[in-house]
Amino acid sequence: MAVAVEPAGRVETYQLRLPVFEGPLDVLVRLIEQRRLAIADVSLVAVTDQFLAYMESGDVPPESLADFAAMAGRLLVLKSRSLLPAPPVVDDEPSADDLAAQVAAYRAMKAAAARLLEIEQTGLRSFAHQPPAGAPLPPVERLGPLAPSALGRALQRCLARHRPPAETYAPPAAITLGGMTRRLLARLCEHTRFSVLVGDRPSRTEYAVGFIALLSLLRQRVVEASQSGLFGEIEVRRVEPTARVADD
């Protein structure tokens, strides 16, 4: 297949000569985009080599270089798209069951339309009937006179009906340094781990106060503490009075 087209665009003197095409580069790109020429039959290497030879033949204006860069980019995009796997072809042709279902739905809609037309012609409309012009309006029911005190009582009943139940707030028990110190010393007879000495389920506040109490006991040389590793469990041991005296 050979196509000869008059040159167009700013690359006026540049003509491609390929086995499947002969003519300007922009025409080649347009034919490929219109799927009148397969991109797989066009060698992009040959297109580039011919344009490089065209540049060496004489002065090429910058506009021609810009045109070639833009068209070559479009050719690369088209070439890359042709190399990707094509999406699976979806068979849009309906099956016999689908056609039967569509015919049944069409018949049901046609019967419903005929029934609605019959109701419309008999005057049995589903929307409200508008009164004729000049017809008297129905009387408006009005509330009887009420005293302001009655309205106030009604408002109080409404507020009492939606009032949320009262909640009793129990403040947490205060944790003192002295109380935590006594707790550590009392539990030290049975346990040695600091996490157990503080309490069964200690809170963050109990941990903080317990750690300060432990530091105070360490400063007074009442207990000794050790830790196996970083972030490890703190082991606490009570110091015998004789040992404290010897240290002093």
Side-chain angles (χ1 to χ4, degrees):
M1 172 183 175
V3 180
V5 187
E6 292 297 328
R10 284 179 289 190
V11 191
E12 298 179 354
T13 59
Y14 175 59
Q15 295 286 324
L16 275 173
R17 289 178 175 80
L18 302 174
V20 295
F21 174 81
E22 183 176 349
L25 179 60
D26 57 344
V27 176
L28 173 65
V29 176
R30 186 163 58 251
L31 291 176
I32 294 175
E33 289 178 342
Q34 295 175 357
R35 296 186 179 181
R36 297 170 59 186
L37 183 62
I39 185 65
D41 299 336
V42 179
S43 174
L44 300 186
V45 176
V47 173
T48 307
D49 292 342
Q50 290 188 22
F51 186 79
L52 294 177
Y54 166 71
M55 291 178 57
E56 294 176 356
S57 62
D59 295 335
V60 180
E63 293 82 0
S64 299
L65 295 176
D67 287 345
F68 177 79
M71 296 178 189
R74 291 162 62 183
L75 286 176
L76 287 175
V77 172
L78 295 173
K79 191 76 170 183
S80 60
R81 288 178 180 176
S82 66
L83 297 177
L84 294 176
V89 180
V90 180
D91 188 8
D92 296 334
E93 184 177 356
S95 62
D97 296 337
D98 294 338
L99 292 176
Q102 292 179 9
V103 170
Y106 171 75
R107 289 177 178 175
M109 294 297 296
K110 188 175 181 180
R115 178 58 181 166
L116 291 176
L117 179 61
E118 181 181 354
I119 294 175
E120 175 70 20
Q121 291 175 352
T122 55
L124 300 177
R125 299 174 179 175
S126 58
F127 46 86
H129 180 69
Q130 298 294 333
L137 298 176
V140 179
E141 297 183 1
R142 300 182 180 274
L143 296 176
L146 294 176
S149 59
L151 294 177
R153 290 193 298 270
L155 179 59
Q156 291 178 358
R157 289 195 300 270
C158 292
L159 294 177
R161 187 182 309 134
H162 298 285
R163 182 177 300 171
E167 297 182 0
T168 304
Y169 173 72
I175 304 174
T176 62
L177 183 59
M180 180 57 69
T181 303
R182 290 189 293 271
R183 182 191 301 183
L184 294 180
L185 294 176
R187 287 173 170 261
L188 197 56
C189 300
E190 301 178 359
H191 307 283
T192 59
R193 290 184 300 172
F194 173 72
S195 60
V196 181
L197 294 176
V198 175
D200 295 332
R201 291 184 177 179
S203 62
R204 183 176 299 179
T205 305
E206 289 177 319
Y207 264 119
V209 178
F211 190 74
I212 297 175
L214 177 61
L215 293 178
S216 178
L217 292 174
L218 288 172
R219 183 175 179 275
Q220 299 174 18
R221 297 183 180 180
V222 178
V223 297
E224 292 180 349
S226 61
Q227 193 174 20
S228 58
L230 187 62
F231 303 112
E233 185 66 45
I234 300 177
E235 298 289 340
V236 183
R237 184 179 65 85
R238 189 160 189 167
V239 178
E240 298 297 333
T242 57
R244 293 208 310 269
V245 173
D247 293 339
D248 294 338

